[in-house]
Amino acid sequence: MPESKPTAGARNGRAIAEVTALLADYAACIDADDLEAWPDFFTADCHYKITTAYNHAKGLPVGLIYAHNRAMLEDRVVALRKANVYEPQRYRHIVSTPRITGGGVTGGDGGRIEAETGFLVVRTMHDGTQDLFASGVYLDRIDLSGNRPRFAEKIVVLDSDKVDTLLAIPL
Amino acid sequence: MPESKPTAGARNGRAIAEVTALLADYAACIDADDLEAWPDFFTADCHYKITTAYNHAKGLPVGLIYAHNRAMLEDRVVALRKANVYEPQRYRHIVSTPRITGGGVTGGDGGRIEAETGFLVVRTMHDGTQDLFASGVYLDRIDLSGNRPRFAEKIVVLDSDKVDTLLAIPL
Amino acid sequence: MPESKPTAGARNGRAIAEVTALLADYAACIDADDLEAWPDFFTADCHYKITTAYNHAKGLPVGLIYAHNRAMLEDRVVALRKANVYEPQRYRHIVSTPRITGGGVTGGDGGRIEAETGFLVVRTMHDGTQDLFASGVYLDRIDLSGNRPRFAEKIVVLDSDKVDTLLAIPL
């Protein structure tokens, strides 16, 4: 469950701006099907996981998808490209406002920011029909020490346990 | 109907940051099912109302839900907990950008901000199916005089008149 | 396809604030059915187009709707008012965070900003049923030289090719 204690959000304007811009770029990368650029949003030793709210609340360690470095994300993109021989569906991420839950731009935490951000994804099928593909929350730990902000950890907590089709794209 | 006259939004950066952070915390509180923390987002003498766009446009005074102080919100949470003996559904608020329509952080209006903010709520049922639960606009009057920003008034104007299931959670 | 290269978003705080406020006002104008105020969000010599992701990716020039000045937008509103003799449906735009892709508030580009912004629109029918009406991305060129920011160009790229009902409202 996301922590719901009020954040000092308004006093973390710069941190919110950093995270907001990063998430907007991240979502646009996936929605533009520019998957080859996706791994560069992560640090080399990143942790990436897609799990469900139920599993996350129970503290179950196993996620639907788990990677403990960027190379695994790159392998995943190659696999997706091989699998998707048909014209891909379109996706549209709508990202809510980040809540800064730790760290800060000033580097009080070694130049890291922790944030929680709600999102939903709309899917458009080849025939034009659209549906709500997924919703959930990003639990992010962002590294500001590089030439651009990158995800040192991204845990994607999905609201639904129905996940069989979720392997189609990164989230 | 929400006022659509352009706001001085970009010139109210601080006010937008305050309201954005407050609404992000507010939505996260509900989505995390942390309902016991929900009343503290309101002032002791707050006004809270859920109504429909039709009733609001007609100026009909009666809302679907109405509370004229925080204690009524606390009573409501107790009632919801007693009613929800089954595992609750999940909700995900997606909140759009606030439009500052009055007041200001500088306290020109006694330390109040008035804002209008579109939102939608996705519901995830126990079996994993998801649907669009509600959409509408928050008409908020926010009190900045306390130790944290609080809603002195929150009018939730729903786009749809179908509201029978809406009593399940606060909005 | 939207460009997915990371923007200097966090370093363009003012530009993001300008665009965010403009888009929030723009969406509120349409959602409030205040269509007569809609053309004033554009410059007199604006270009406005609604197209599909498929056509946009293929570089097909013809859009679903095309206007090359504000007067054509005003004519469109008049036509819509004549056509809509029944009570209109309600629409709710949810606008994601803008990505600044060019220009800047400082006027390095003659006081223009270029931005890409994802959005979705929820429709509420007269009987209260709701559906996902549209999703896509705004490709905007915003003119800051006037008394308020205005769209010099707005290309609405829809995710879906199913567009027969899209003529009901501006997007």
Side-chain angles (χ1 to χ4, degrees):
Chain A
M1 279 294 178
E3 237 300 317
S4 70
K5 182 156 41 59
T7 68
R11 295 186 296 282
N12 281 319
R14 279 184 58 204
I16 288 178
E18 287 279 356
V19 177
T20 298
L22 174 61
L23 288 172
D25 293 336
Y26 180 87
C29 173
I30 296 171
D31 293 347
D33 193 39
D34 188 12
L35 299 188
E36 284 67 23
W38 172 66
D40 197 33
F41 282 92
F42 296 84
T43 61
D45 61 348
C46 65
H47 286 249
Y48 174 81
K49 183 166 77 168
I50 300 180
T51 185
T52 66
Y54 179 84
N55 286 0
H56 189 69
K58 296 279 185 247
L60 301 179
V62 180
L64 311 168
I65 294 172
Y66 180 71
H68 51 73
N69 59 58
R70 185 196 292 150
M72 292 176 68
L73 301 180
E74 292 163 349
D75 293 344
R76 176 158 174 71
V77 171
V78 172
L80 283 171
R81 290 303 191 196
K82 285 183 184 162
N84 291 324
V85 291
Y86 50 87
E87 175 166 342
Q89 299 130 351
R90 281 181 209 295
Y91 299 89
R92 178 69 50 199
H93 285 63
I94 301 291
V95 179
S96 209
T97 310
R99 299 176 59 239
I100 304 303
T101 52
V105 170
T106 54
D109 186 35
R112 293 207 158 179
I113 302 174
E114 293 173 8
E116 299 177 354
T117 313
F119 70 92
L120 65 81
V121 182
V122 171
R123 177 174 56 179
T124 303
M125 309 301 283
H126 187 40
D127 67 0
T129 57
Q130 300 190 297
D131 64 0
L132 173 64
F133 180 62
S135 70
V137 60
Y138 291 130
L139 305 182
D140 295 322
R141 208 170 75 251
I142 296 157
D143 182 343
L144 302 172
S145 65
N147 61 328
R148 55 180 267 201
R150 286 187 171 85
F151 297 109
E153 179 176 77
K154 183 183 258 308
I155 302 176
V156 184
V157 183
L158 299 174
D159 292 325
S160 174
D161 296 331
K162 276 188 168 175
V163 295
D164 48 293
T165 61
L166 280 172
L167 306 182
I169 56 162
L171 285 174
Chain B
M1 280 292 180
E3 237 299 318
S4 71
K5 183 156 41 57
T7 68
R11 295 186 295 282
N12 282 320
R14 278 184 59 206
I16 288 178
E18 288 277 356
V19 177
T20 298
L22 174 61
L23 288 172
D25 292 336
Y26 180 86
C29 174
I30 297 171
D31 293 347
D33 193 37
D34 187 13
L35 300 188
E36 283 68 22
W38 171 66
D40 197 33
F41 282 94
F42 296 84
T43 61
D45 61 348
C46 65
H47 286 249
Y48 174 81
K49 184 166 75 169
I50 300 180
T51 185
T52 66
Y54 179 85
N55 286 358
H56 188 69
K58 297 277 186 250
L60 301 179
V62 180
L64 310 169
I65 295 172
Y66 180 71
H68 51 74
N69 59 58
R70 187 196 290 150
M72 292 176 69
L73 301 180
E74 292 162 348
D75 292 345
R76 176 158 174 71
V77 171
V78 172
L80 283 171
R81 289 305 191 197
K82 285 182 183 160
N84 290 324
V85 291
Y86 51 86
E87 175 165 342
Q89 299 130 352
R90 282 182 208 294
Y91 298 88
R92 178 69 51 199
H93 285 62
I94 301 291
V95 179
S96 208
T97 310
R99 300 174 59 239
I100 305 303
T101 53
V105 171
T106 54
D109 186 34
R112 293 207 157 178
I113 302 174
E114 293 174 8
E116 299 178 354
T117 313
F119 70 92
L120 66 81
V121 182
V122 172
R123 178 173 55 179
T124 304
M125 309 302 282
H126 188 40
D127 67 359
T129 56
Q130 299 190 299
D131 64 0
L132 173 64
F133 179 62
S135 70
V137 61
Y138 291 130
L139 306 182
D140 295 321
R141 208 170 74 249
I142 297 158
D143 181 345
L144 302 172
S145 65
N147 61 330
R148 53 180 269 199
R150 286 186 170 85
F151 297 108
E153 179 176 77
K154 182 183 258 308
I155 302 176
V156 184
V157 183
L158 299 175
D159 292 325
S160 174
D161 297 330
K162 275 187 169 176
V163 293
D164 48 293
T165 61
L166 279 172
L167 306 182
I169 57 163
L171 285 174
Chain C
M1 281 292 180
E3 237 298 317
S4 71
K5 185 158 38 60
T7 68
R11 296 186 294 283
N12 282 320
R14 278 183 58 205
I16 288 178
E18 288 277 358
V19 177
T20 298
L22 174 61
L23 288 172
D25 292 336
Y26 180 85
C29 174
I30 297 171
D31 293 347
D33 194 37
D34 187 13
L35 300 187
E36 283 68 22
W38 172 66
D40 197 33
F41 282 92
F42 296 84
T43 61
D45 61 347
C46 66
H47 286 249
Y48 174 81
K49 182 166 75 168
I50 300 180
T51 185
T52 66
Y54 179 84
N55 286 359
H56 188 70
K58 296 278 186 247
L60 302 179
V62 181
L64 310 169
I65 295 173
Y66 180 71
H68 52 73
N69 59 57
R70 185 196 290 150
M72 292 175 68
L73 301 181
E74 291 163 348
D75 292 345
R76 177 158 173 70
V77 171
V78 172
L80 283 171
R81 290 303 191 197
K82 284 183 184 161
N84 290 324
V85 290
Y86 51 86
E87 175 166 341
Q89 299 129 351
R90 281 181 208 294
Y91 299 89
R92 179 69 50 199
H93 285 64
I94 301 291
V95 179
S96 209
T97 310
R99 301 174 60 239
I100 305 303
T101 53
V105 171
T106 54
D109 186 36
R112 294 207 158 178
I113 302 174
E114 293 173 8
E116 299 177 355
T117 313
F119 70 91
L120 66 80
V121 182
V122 171
R123 176 174 56 179
T124 304
M125 309 302 282
H126 187 40
D127 67 0
T129 57
Q130 299 190 299
D131 64 0
L132 172 63
F133 180 63
S135 71
V137 60
Y138 290 130
L139 306 182
D140 294 322
R141 209 170 75 249
I142 296 158
D143 181 344
L144 302 172
S145 65
N147 61 329
R148 54 180 268 199
R150 286 186 171 86
F151 297 108
E153 180 176 76
K154 182 182 263 304
I155 302 176
V156 184
V157 183
L158 299 174
D159 292 325
S160 173
D161 296 330
K162 275 188 167 176
V163 294
D164 47 292
T165 60
L166 280 172
L167 306 182
I169 56 162
L171 284 174

